[in-house]
Amino acid sequence: MPQPADRKYTKEHEWVKFDGNNAVVGITEYAQSSLGDIVYVELPKPGSKVERSKPIGVVESVKAVSDIYAPVSGTVTEVNSAVEDDPAKVNVDPFGDGWLVKLTLAGAPDGDGLLEATAYDELVNSLSH
Amino acid sequence: MPLLLFERGAAGRGNDFVAAAPPVERHLDRALLRDELPLPDLAEIEVARHYTELSSRNFSVDRNFYPLGSCTMKYNPKLNEAVAAFSGFSDLHPFAPDEGAQGALRVLWDMQSMLTSLFGMTAFSLMPAAGAHGEITAMLMAKKHFKQIGESERATCLVPDTAHGTNPASASMVGYRVISIPSNARGRIDVAALKSKLDGSTAVCMMTNPNTLGLFEDDIIEITRAVHAAGGLMYYDGANANAIVGLTRPGDMGFDLLHLNLHKTFSVPHGGGGPGSGPVGANAKMAKYLPQPLVQRKADGSFALDFDQPDSIGPVRMFWSHFLAIVRAYAYIIVHGEDGLRRNSQLAVLNANYVRERVKDVLAVPYADFCRHEFVCSAETLKKETGVRALDIAKGLLDAGIHAPTMYWPHVVPECLMIEPTETETKETLDHFAATIHALVRQAYEDPASMQQLPLKTPVRRVDEAQVGRLANKAVGLRWRPPAAETK
Amino acid sequence: MYTPHTPDEIQAMLAAIGVPSLEALSSVPPGLEIKDKLGLPPALAESDAYAHIKALAERNGAARMISFLGAGAYRHYQPPAVPWFAMRSEFLTAYTPYQAEASQGSLQAIFEWQTYICLLTGMDVSNASLYDGATALVEGVIMALHAKARHRVIISRGVHPLYRAVLDTYAAGMGIEIIELPVGSDGLTDFSVLGSTPPQADCVVVQTPNFFGNIENTAAAAELARAADALTISVTAEALSLALLKTPRELGADIAVGEAQSFGLPVGYGGPYVGFIASTKEHVRRLPGRLVGETTDVDGRRAFVLTLQGREQHIRRELATSNICTNQALCALIATVYLATVGSKGLRAIASANVERARQLAQAVSAIPGFSIAHSSPFFNEFCLRTPSPAEDIAARLRERGILAGLPLSRFYPELTNMLLLCATELTTTEDIRLLTAELAKEHSRAVAAV
């Protein structure tokens, strides 16, 4: 399945969608599928500062727990409380309703270390075989 | 389908257990008392039927084969149950004076001595309640030791990537940073990788031998020497001791500390998840830190609890031991003697290798060497070719009245099944297990979709873990609640 | 022998594997073989082993004495129905219920235990059991530590000394500071010593009834906790008291921990017992150990399963809420069968009998000249008795006459040389009380003569 082209990706299976000085972060289809049914999501507090590649939260399924790593540095403006209430949203629509964190960027929108959709797609394909 | 206790009963049912006493309001102010005690009242016949029915909804060693790797589900001898029930033990208060507890103290003393000999250590504490409790005890001892010798900066713990989850959990409870060391292609810990992580911050290296892949760590002497040279301590996780009792000793391998699981190696029953007992052994260097009290033998030959251990880390539980579990293990040891225990280990290794031989052509065995008391095999090929996973094979075994093996651990083997038959199983049982595995693999190729329906014959079938997980995070579904009162 | 192998079977199996002998198959690398005899006694035939251990059991004279010992381990009546059902093979020899389809018996039993603990403590959630009351306290403190991250505990000296000693052991290894609150001459915790601006802490810990037997003012502990921005932890060492007294929840606790040995478990020279931990719902994710939840299976049947395993060691490893794996499942089952067997009615009757017998005991012993009840605070089934001469000596002499006259408090509180902690339960008879009183009266005469 081709990854949405309107965003970038990390090797840890997060996606980040830029909009000017803001960004939205979530986990990918591959991540939710590997985890299985998600039962709990722990998200950072609005106002907290996050640093690229550092863990900012947790996604927990029945059989596994996975850290969420910040794809970029910035300040959290909003978290998806609908997902905290109904974690299944992340399974059902990881790229849309299952978004996790909104933040304002610390610096310019920086593609450093992030993968384009096609490169991430290749990564996912290599993992599945 | 059985009701809950709270869905049974009626107010006022139940026996008269004691002669009636006056109402407590005579002695205690109403303000101190609760208004109601909303527990069910049941007639004894209701209790009888409830628990007899629940018991029929369980697998158990007395009914089913449990090839559970690293759990050592061997038969639990009934002699052990009989001796643990003697009133001279069950009625003995832990604050009984030593003179009035000489029999119990003798049991504990003998156990300390026998375990010391069997495992090549200097002293044993029988206090910890379970293996994980023994692990944290040892971590606390290590921490105190380094503080005493002025090396408190040592704060890392090396753990193989095949380690049981309690190992890193115990280490981090005392603030140690855990470094995972990879295994090599032979299934042993990568010695070069381990050595590369040794430095002035190394506190403890935790290992088990044989490891959780069932393979003997043949480089163990080299490893213990290297860790000691770097100033660290070696800790032995005794979960796999069933492979080595009477054959070799962790003390001789160079381990400073170890724990045992009496509810694995020494035939104490699992009880559905405990109680266990996790004695901790220490060598000459570390013995002084053991939890107190230990049992000592005085000059006049009598036994006493020794509370005078100035370097002890202190107690790790409220009383002296899981005494009634110790009695069971004691009975097990004295009917076998060291020759019997050695033979048990050899037959455990025989049974594991026999099963390995009988299943390896349908479930890939990743390591060529003979195993010890357990081995791992993989359903990865099965998954690739049919979509059927280790989990589905496990559920299929349940329909045959065989408990699933340990699954999905260690993580180094994909679609892993870890199989430990133990020495108390008959050849017929092992042959039946192998035949069942073959049949399930055949079914996987012939009708893979049917495998995801298994099990079919158990009291419940596959359960919805996601539903309960989501509710549980909101503290819902973890207890019975009375139905909401009707609103007028 | 428990191993069933015949020589022929061994040969056949070795042949299938392709190895000549057991020795060859189980050999260890050079230098690691055990060379000498280990010195264990020779193997005993089963009947000899039975006789040997029976003789050891009979060498515990204290098990036969008239006992007024409590202090954290309580002598209660065990209805025969309890071991009859709880020790069935299907429960005793079962494994941890990781495979829900194979373990509904064990899982439902744990769910019922969790419910009983919540009903008894007034809490929202409880776990599947912990090792004992002392380690349950440690786990409660760790929960509070995860919530508040201050590494500081405020704890009453009225909490069982062994519980505090275990906490001290863990605190030393985990870098936790312990602040103790004194117990006053009234036998109750003095919550005022830290003033109106106490240091901020993770938790305030109080035991009720406390080690001296007195019912504590848990609400005052909760007030101190509020001032310290801490959680309130209520400790119960004598679980039977929960049948009558206000619940920890009603009194303001956030976390309730304790020991359920009183529910049908023998005193058994100290173990195994069974610890419990329960909390309000906001702390559910911090609960250590196993949790059983209710769900449905693919056919819609009610089913029970281990849940929130993401918190536990086998998944979360070094980030787990606790390292606990094996707990006290069978002991929790014994306690649950006990609660089912005695019911609300029976539990209250037994608890009331404890209250009554303890008062009869108190009345009888305080009537002896030279002896007096140390505190005027209300108690459940234990109280402190002031003695005219050192309690250790009195207890030693009464032992020689077959009576365990409670616990001399100087063992844990060196300043309290002339004080005994006495316990009466539903098993304490009028004759027991008469004998103790008679012997203590002799002690009075002795003390008078010595002057």
Side-chain angles (χ1 to χ4, degrees):
Chain A
M1 166 199 159
Q3 313 297 331
D6 62 351
R7 58 200 75 190
K8 300 221 197 294
Y9 297 84
T10 68
K11 290 204 195 76
E12 283 76 32
H13 309 290
E14 288 94 15
W15 55 260
V16 54
K17 189 171 171 199
F18 294 107
D19 178 16
N21 204 39
N22 301 309
V24 187
V25 176
I27 65 170
T28 64
E29 165 65 33
Y30 177 81
Q32 75 77 19
S33 159
S34 312
L35 280 167
D37 293 305
I38 293 170
V39 298
Y40 184 73
V41 181
E42 195 176 271
L43 299 173
K45 286 196 174 61
S48 53
K49 290 199 168 20
V50 300
E51 208 185 301
R52 190 174 83 194
S53 304
K54 290 277 181 349
I56 59 171
V58 159
V59 180
E60 186 177 312
S61 71
V62 163
K63 54 174 179 159
V65 181
S66 207
D67 288 310
I68 309 165
Y69 298 96
V72 289
S73 303
T75 307
V76 177
T77 52
E78 198 188 330
V79 297
N80 189 348
S81 49
V83 145
E84 282 178 322
D85 207 56
D86 182 13
K89 280 186 160 45
V90 182
N91 291 117
V92 166
D93 190 10
F95 289 118
D97 279 346
W99 66 272
L100 297 176
V101 173
K102 287 186 176 152
L103 34 91
T104 50
L105 299 175
D110 172 9
D112 216 28
L114 298 175
L115 301 167
E116 294 289 340
T118 41
Y120 178 68
D121 203 32
E122 270 169 41
L123 171 65
V124 165
N125 287 333
S126 71
L127 288 170
S128 310
H129 293 106
Chain B
M1 198 162 57
L3 297 174
L4 292 167
L5 290 168
F6 314 97
E7 295 164 334
R8 299 187 199 272
R13 285 187 186 161
N15 300 346
D16 293 326
F17 294 97
V18 292
V24 296
E25 285 82 350
R26 180 186 290 192
H27 303 298
L28 290 171
D29 200 301
R30 264 253 104 244
L32 295 172
L33 304 175
R34 62 190 297 163
D35 294 324
E36 42 160 31
L37 184 64
L39 310 180
D41 285 342
L42 300 154
E44 192 171 313
I45 191 172
E46 295 184 276
V47 176
R49 296 220 170 119
H50 183 81
Y51 285 104
T52 307
E53 178 167 14
L54 284 192
S55 72
S56 74
R57 294 163 75 79
N58 255 15
F59 275 45
S60 57
V61 171
D62 276 7
R63 191 165 166 213
N64 308 91
F65 174 41
Y66 275 82
L68 272 167
S70 260
C71 297
T72 314
M73 294 295 285
K74 64 173 77 180
Y75 177 67
N76 313 118
K78 304 319 173 215
L79 170 70
N80 302 357
E81 298 307 311
V83 300
F86 287 140
S87 61
F89 294 140
S90 51
D91 290 349
L92 188 62
H93 194 284
F95 283 132
D98 291 337
E99 318 82 85
Q102 287 297 299
L105 289 166
R106 176 74 202 235
V107 170
L108 293 174
W109 167 261
D110 280 352
M111 274 299 277
Q112 282 176 185
S113 311
M114 294 192 294
L115 293 178
T116 301
S117 301
L118 283 168
F119 293 93
M121 304 311 260
T122 299
F124 258 88
S125 162
L126 302 175
M127 195 183 249
H133 202 202
E135 286 177 24
I136 184 124
T137 300
M139 292 301 106
L140 290 167
M141 290 169 67
K143 205 151 175 179
K144 180 158 190 173
H145 168 70
F146 287 119
K147 185 166 183 209
Q148 271 203 356
I149 64 171
E151 292 182 16
S152 292
E153 70 277 7
R154 289 185 181 273
T156 53
C157 184
L158 305 183
V159 161
D161 57 2
T162 53
H164 191 274
T166 53
N167 290 175
S170 303
S172 56
M173 273 177 88
V174 300
Y176 282 161
R177 187 174 64 97
V178 175
I179 300 180
S180 180
I181 309 291
S183 304
N184 60 27
R186 282 184 70 235
R188 273 77 169 182
I189 197 171
D190 184 329
V191 182
L194 187 151
K195 285 181 176 173
S196 75
K197 296 293 183 194
L198 290 172
D199 60 24
S201 77
T202 305
V204 183
C205 173
M206 300 174 89
M207 287 182 63
T208 184
N209 193 10
N211 61 28
T212 59
L213 297 168
L215 302 167
F216 198 87
E217 294 279 3
D218 2 53
D219 294 324
I220 191 65
I221 300 265
E222 188 187 338
I223 292 169
T224 57
R225 276 202 197 120
V227 171
H228 287 151
L233 293 170
M234 287 296 302
Y235 174 80
Y236 179 83
D237 176 336
N240 290 328
N242 206 46
I244 63 152
V245 180
L247 292 169
T248 183
R249 308 191 304 174
D252 299 334
M253 295 176 201
F255 285 94
D256 303 285
L257 292 164
L258 66 81
H259 88 266
L260 299 174
N261 300 67
L262 299 188
H263 48 295
K264 295 185 180 187
T265 318
F266 291 93
S267 84
V268 175
H270 266 71
S277 173
V280 168
N283 62 3
K285 177 164 77 178
M286 298 299 290
K288 59 185 173 172
Y289 305 107
L290 284 168
Q292 73 176 15
L294 298 181
V295 176
Q296 62 172 281
R297 184 162 211 171
K298 303 204 297 208
D300 64 2
S302 69
F303 302 99
L305 294 173
D306 180 11
F307 289 96
D308 184 22
Q309 296 164 228
D311 292 309
S312 166
I313 56 170
V316 293
R317 70 172 290 274
M318 62 197 264
F319 288 121
W320 331 129
S321 73
H322 272 184
F323 181 72
L324 299 178
I326 305 276
V327 174
R328 290 171 167 87
Y330 179 73
Y332 176 81
I333 294 176
I334 68 173
V335 300
H336 285 91
E338 58 195 85
D339 293 339
L341 293 174
R342 179 182 318 111
R343 187 172 172 75
N344 285 357
S345 304
Q346 290 176 322
L347 292 172
V349 174
L350 177 70
N351 276 5
N353 278 286
Y354 180 70
V355 175
R356 178 179 175 276
E357 183 62 33
R358 297 289 316 274
V359 303
K360 71 183 190 191
D361 45 343
V362 291
L363 289 173
V365 165
Y367 305 104
D369 295 346
F370 288 119
C371 63
R372 296 283 158 170
H373 67 313
E374 67 190 8
F375 70 96
V376 299
C377 55
S378 172
E380 179 75 351
T381 308
L382 192 68
K383 182 179 165 198
K384 288 203 164 97
E385 294 181 359
T386 66
V388 172
R389 309 175 53 213
L391 180 74
D392 305 314
I393 297 285
K395 300 304 185 189
L397 284 168
L398 296 181
D399 273 342
I402 300 169
H403 194 277
T406 304
M407 292 186 288
Y408 298 107
W409 170 63
H411 307 298
V412 297
V413 174
E415 294 298 320
C416 183
L417 291 162
M418 193 203 301
I419 293 168
E420 179 187 357
T422 84
E423 70 276 17
T424 53
E425 298 296 338
T426 64
K427 183 170 175 296
E428 300 89 88
T429 300
L430 304 182
D431 289 334
H432 177 246
F433 173 72
T436 309
I437 291 282
H438 280 255
L440 285 167
V441 171
R442 237 182 345 262
Q443 183 180 347
Y445 281 99
E446 286 166 10
D447 186 1
S450 69
M451 298 291 289
Q452 271 133 24
Q453 299 307 305
L454 304 176
L456 298 168
K457 301 181 196 156
T458 47
V460 304
R461 296 179 57 215
R462 295 201 201 190
V463 302
D464 187 346
E465 292 184 68
Q467 177 202 134
V468 63
R470 289 177 192 144
L471 291 171
N473 275 299
K474 301 174 187 171
V476 172
L478 297 173
R479 52 166 286 191
W480 172 86
R481 282 196 175 273
E486 290 178 65
T487 48
K488 301 249 185 251
Chain C
M1 271 300 139
Y2 305 110
T3 52
H5 304 71
T6 66
D8 287 348
E9 285 168 341
I10 293 175
Q11 285 317 306
M13 292 165 81
L14 287 169
I17 298 165
V19 171
S21 67
L22 284 179
E23 287 66 36
L25 187 59
S26 59
S27 69
V28 293
L32 289 178
E33 314 93 343
I34 295 174
K35 295 195 172 50
D36 308 309
K37 281 282 161 199
L38 294 175
L40 265 65
L44 288 177
E46 184 171 308
S47 55
D48 294 327
Y50 183 91
H52 170 75
I53 299 177
K54 184 152 195 264
L56 289 175
E58 277 157 16
R59 234 190 278 168
N60 297 317
R64 294 185 290 273
M65 290 185 193
I66 297 169
S67 176
F68 295 89
L69 273 173
Y74 299 94
R75 196 175 67 104
H76 289 297
Y77 176 65
Q78 185 193 52
V82 173
W84 190 277
F85 297 114
M87 307 288 278
R88 287 180 68 97
S89 265
E90 298 90 337
F91 297 125
L92 183 67
T93 71
Y95 178 60
T96 308
Y98 290 122
Q99 296 291 326
E101 302 91 328
S103 320
Q104 287 301 294
S106 293
L107 287 165
Q108 180 168 336
I110 297 170
F111 187 80
E112 290 169 343
W113 153 271
Q114 289 171 189
T115 304
Y116 269 121
I117 294 298
C118 288
L119 292 170
L120 286 163
T121 60
M123 292 296 176
D124 299 322
V125 288
S126 161
N127 91 341
S129 75
L130 296 170
Y131 306 137
D132 64 7
T135 52
L137 171 59
V138 172
E139 295 283 7
V141 164
I142 292 173
M143 280 179 72
L145 169 64
H146 286 151
K148 300 287 186 177
R150 295 195 177 104
H151 290 257
R152 182 179 294 124
V153 174
I154 299 172
I155 182 165
S156 160
R157 260 192 109 216
V159 173
H160 196 301
L162 292 180
Y163 286 40
R164 283 185 288 121
V166 173
L167 179 62
D168 287 343
T169 303
Y170 280 80
M174 297 176 73
I176 294 172
E177 180 197 345
I178 309 280
I179 299 177
E180 279 194 339
L181 298 173
V183 168
S185 54
D186 56 355
L188 295 173
T189 306
D190 182 354
F191 290 106
S192 69
V193 291
L194 296 177
S196 54
T197 50
Q200 306 289 278
D202 295 326
C203 54
V204 172
V205 184
V206 66
Q207 175 179 318
T208 184
N210 67 21
F211 185 69
F212 305 100
N214 302 318
I215 298 167
E216 285 273 14
N217 184 356
T218 308
E223 219 178 283
L224 172 61
R226 267 191 294 279
D229 188 39
L231 298 181
T232 305
I233 300 181
S234 173
V235 180
T236 306
E238 174 33 307
L240 187 61
S241 66
L242 293 168
L244 293 178
L245 302 180
K246 279 210 158 28
T247 68
R249 180 66 175 278
E250 284 177 286
L251 297 171
D254 300 291
I255 298 171
V257 301
E259 173 55 61
Q261 173 267 323
S262 291
F263 296 151
L265 279 108
V267 289
Y269 204 49
Y273 291 169
V274 54
F276 66 83
I277 191 164
S279 75
T280 58
K281 58 183 195 251
E282 31 272 78
H283 303 293
V284 63
R285 285 191 55 83
R286 298 196 182 97
L287 280 174
R290 302 199 179 110
L291 289 173
V292 172
E294 182 181 339
T295 186
T296 48
D297 79 348
V298 291
D299 294 332
R301 293 181 195 93
R302 176 163 70 185
F304 300 97
V305 66
L306 291 176
T307 189
L308 295 197
Q309 293 186 67
R311 299 153 22 265
E312 291 189 75
Q313 48 77 26
H314 54 292
I315 291 180
R316 207 71 170 104
R317 295 172 73 89
E318 57 263 31
L319 296 169
T321 49
S322 165
N323 73 339
I324 190 168
C325 182
T326 293
N327 53 21
Q328 304 295 100
L330 192 76
C331 297
L333 177 64
I334 292 170
T336 310
V337 179
Y338 174 88
L339 291 168
T341 303
V342 303
S344 176
K345 179 184 94 169
L347 201 65
R348 272 177 302 165
I350 294 166
S352 303
N354 275 251
V355 170
E356 179 68 21
R357 299 294 163 86
R359 265 103 194 124
Q360 286 169 355
L361 174 65
Q363 205 166 50
V365 296
S366 60
I368 308 167
F371 291 84
S372 59
I373 308 299
H375 311 123
S376 56
S377 314
F379 58 91
F380 177 62
N381 64 4
E382 282 183 287
F383 59 89
C384 292
L385 182 69
R386 235 182 243 113
T387 59
S389 52
E392 296 261 13
D393 300 336
I394 294 176
R397 278 191 292 274
L398 262 67
R399 269 202 302 274
E400 284 160 28
R401 279 166 258 146
I403 301 175
L404 295 170
L407 187 76
L409 280 166
S410 54
R411 179 179 182 144
F412 295 115
Y413 305 87
E415 69 275 21
L416 301 175
T417 52
N418 288 27
M419 212 177 283
L420 278 172
L421 177 65
L422 290 172
C423 177
T425 70
E426 72 279 12
L427 294 178
T428 307
T429 64
T430 324
E431 180 60 13
D432 293 339
I433 295 175
R434 192 195 65 74
L435 280 164
L436 175 70
T437 310
E439 293 301 326
L440 287 180
K442 291 182 195 158
E443 292 301 315
H444 163 66
S445 309
R446 196 179 234 277
V448 165
V451 169

